[in-house]
């Protein structure tokens, strides 16, 4: 109720699992300026998050997870300069991650998974110098993984699984000496695995399956017995990414079956695939585009490429005959 705004001396509000608590968060909550901890997770709350939350400048922990809040994360969240834990997962939140998140210099744990967030991961997140854990999986995030994350020397866990992220894996992440868990499974990442990942001293879990990565896999990873439960002893490079023509649920070999061969007439387009497919002509050309660094081509050279609604014969550099059979193909040669 709005009367909660009268509790101006309140320092902790914990209504966790009050499942009968419904309605929305009143804007009057912004009057609780002495509040240090706010936990109203696992309730039945809904509606947008009020921007007045940004007035709680003494807040150190906020947990709103497992409710039905809609709408965006208010940019005023960046005013919470004392915040150490931000947990707003499984809320059905939409919109983008505000750039103001970079103002949270003391935040150690950010859990924003299981929402409907879109847009890019802001480069400003690299200014969260105390961050140890970022869980942003199961969203609709696009764009690239910002290399600015490597500025966070304390970062230990980066979990970006099941988004729509593109581009390549930032080699800078391999320099993070405390990184133990990196999971980017089921995105649209391309390129190769940086060699720096094989020399990351504390990395124990590396999940890269379900992307559009290609070989070679660095030898330093295939022989790294610290990563993925030491399964490289048994499976070699397959413990990092299943080879072409084989699959696994997570895209890499695990006991007892390892990577399973595809059935007859089916295969995989990329290493680390989580399912087999009947390989079509368009798939072959899409794989070719990735291997040839097509994202670096001039716009006129990549017209139609990787656009599923454009017929193959209309792709730049492809010349077909009257029957739709490919006659010639020309493409830029990437600079070495």
């Amino acid at each position: 109720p709005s009367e909660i705004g009268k509790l101006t001396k309140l320092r902790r509000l914990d209504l966790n699992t009050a499942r009968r608590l419904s309605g929305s968060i009143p804007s009057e909550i912004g009057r609780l300026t002495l509040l240090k901890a706010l936990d109203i997770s696992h309730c039945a709350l809904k509606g947008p998050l009020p921007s007045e939350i940004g007035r709680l400048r003494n807040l150190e922990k906020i947990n709103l997870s497992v409710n039905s809040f809609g709408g965006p994360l208010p940019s005023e969240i960046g005013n919470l300069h004392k915040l150490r834990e931000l947990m707003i997962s499984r809320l059905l939140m939409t919109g983008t991650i505000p750039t103001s998140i970079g103002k949270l210099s003391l935040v150690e744990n950010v859990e924003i998974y299981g929402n409907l967030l879109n847009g890019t991961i802001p480069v400003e997140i690299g200014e969260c110098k105390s961050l140890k854990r970022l869980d942003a999986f199961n969203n609709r995030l696009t764009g690239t993984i910002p290399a600015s994350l490597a500025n966070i020397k304390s970062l230990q866990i980066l979990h970006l699984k099941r988004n729509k992220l593109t581009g390549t894996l930032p080699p800078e992440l391999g320099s993070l000496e405390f990184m133990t868990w990196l999971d980017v499974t089921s995105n649209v990442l391309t390129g190769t695995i940086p060699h720096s990942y094989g020399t990351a001293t504390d990395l124990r879990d590396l999940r890269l399956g379900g992307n559009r990565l290609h070989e070679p896999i660095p030898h330093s990873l295939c022989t790294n017995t610290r990563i993925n439960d030491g399964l490289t002893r048994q499976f070699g490079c397959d413990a990092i990414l299943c080879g072409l023509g084989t699959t696994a649920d997570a895209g890499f070999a695990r006991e007892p079956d390892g990577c399973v061969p595809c059935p007859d007439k089916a295969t995989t387009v990329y290493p680390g695939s989580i399912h087999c497919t009947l390989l079509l002509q368009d798939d072959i050309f899409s794989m070719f585009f990735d291997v040839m660094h097509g994202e670096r081509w001039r716009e006129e050279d990549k017209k139609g490429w990787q656009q599923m609604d454009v017929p193959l014969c209309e792709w730049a550099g492809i010349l077909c005959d009257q029957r739709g059979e490919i006659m010639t193909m020309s493409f830029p040669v990437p600079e070495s």
Side-chain angles (χ1 to χ4, degrees):
S2 59
E3 288 79 9
I4 197 172
K6 298 179 180 180
L7 304 177
T8 55
K9 302 295 184 181
L10 198 63
R11 285 171 168 76
R12 181 180 180 87
L13 178 59
D14 189 346
L15 298 172
N16 177 28
T17 68
R19 301 191 184 279
R20 295 186 179 181
L21 183 63
S22 59
S24 58
I25 299 178
S27 60
E28 287 81 3
I29 199 170
R31 298 176 184 172
L32 309 183
T33 55
L34 297 181
L35 200 64
K36 290 189 175 182
L38 174 62
D39 189 343
I40 48 176
S41 59
H42 296 83
C43 295
L45 297 169
K46 58 184 179 180
L49 295 181
S51 60
E52 286 79 6
I53 283 181
R55 297 178 183 174
L56 307 179
R57 296 177 183 269
N58 284 301
L59 207 60
E60 297 176 1
K61 175 182 177 179
I62 181 170
N63 188 354
L64 309 177
S65 300
V66 195
N67 280 285
S68 297
F69 296 119
L73 179 62
S75 61
E76 289 81 2
I77 203 80
N79 296 333
L80 307 180
H81 300 303
K82 295 184 179 181
L83 198 65
R84 294 185 180 275
E85 292 188 77
L86 174 63
M87 292 177 283
I88 50 172
S89 57
R90 298 166 65 186
L91 294 180
L92 303 178
M93 295 192 69
T94 58
T96 60
I97 303 173
T99 58
S100 60
I101 198 171
K103 298 179 181 179
L104 304 179
S105 60
L106 297 180
V107 72
E108 298 178 358
N109 183 28
V110 174
E111 298 180 18
I112 53 176
Y113 63 87
N115 287 294
L116 302 173
L117 296 172
N118 54 43
T120 61
I121 302 172
V123 295
E124 289 82 359
I125 201 166
E127 299 170 16
C128 299
K129 301 299 185 182
S130 302
L131 189 63
K132 295 180 180 179
R133 181 182 189 126
L134 174 60
D135 280 329
F137 60 93
N138 287 13
N139 277 289
R140 299 175 178 177
L141 298 173
T142 57
T144 60
I145 301 173
S148 62
L149 285 166
N151 297 333
I152 310 173
K153 303 305 179 184
S154 57
L155 192 60
Q156 299 174 11
I157 296 174
L158 181 59
H159 199 173
L160 303 175
K161 178 172 64 176
R162 295 197 187 104
N163 279 287
K164 299 178 181 180
L165 299 170
T166 56
T168 58
L169 290 165
E172 295 87 350
L173 295 181
S175 66
L176 293 174
E177 59 178 318
F178 299 115
M179 176 78 80
T180 61
W181 180 291
L182 174 59
D183 190 343
V184 293
T185 306
S186 296
N187 280 281
V188 201
L189 299 171
T190 57
T192 57
I193 306 173
H195 287 274
S196 58
Y197 289 22
T199 56
T201 54
D202 274 10
L203 192 60
R204 294 295 182 270
D205 290 276
L206 181 63
R207 313 294 170 89
L208 306 175
N211 283 286
R212 296 182 177 181
L213 301 173
H214 58 84
E215 298 175 337
I217 299 173
H219 179 73
S220 55
L221 279 175
C222 298
T223 57
N224 189 325
T225 57
R226 299 187 305 271
I227 290 178
N228 295 350
D229 297 322
L231 290 173
T232 54
R233 295 187 183 95
Q234 181 177 354
F235 297 112
C237 291
D238 281 358
I240 307 301
L241 288 176
C242 288
L244 290 173
T246 64
T247 65
D249 289 343
F252 67 94
R254 291 191 289 191
E255 294 181 329
D257 298 325
C259 298
V260 180
C262 292
D264 289 344
K265 298 182 179 180
T267 187
T268 58
V269 181
Y270 303 97
S273 293
I274 58 179
H275 57 80
C276 299
T277 184
L278 294 175
L279 196 60
L280 302 176
Q281 191 170 242
D282 288 17
D283 296 323
I284 297 173
F285 278 91
S286 293
M287 182 168 57
F288 177 84
F289 181 86
D290 292 337
V291 173
M292 297 301 294
H293 303 289
E295 73 279 357
R296 303 178 190 172
W297 296 356
R298 297 177 304 175
E299 288 302 318
E300 59 266 32
D301 291 329
K302 58 183 178 182
K303 181 180 178 182
W305 288 78
Q306 294 195 315
Q307 293 179 275
M308 296 300 102
D309 57 337
V310 178
L312 182 63
C313 291
E314 295 180 15
W315 293 9
I318 303 294
L319 180 62
C320 299
D321 60 20
Q322 293 180 346
R323 296 174 298 174
E325 299 289 338
I326 296 177
M327 296 174 58
T328 62
M329 182 176 108
S330 60
F331 55 89
V333 176
E335 297 181 3
S336 57

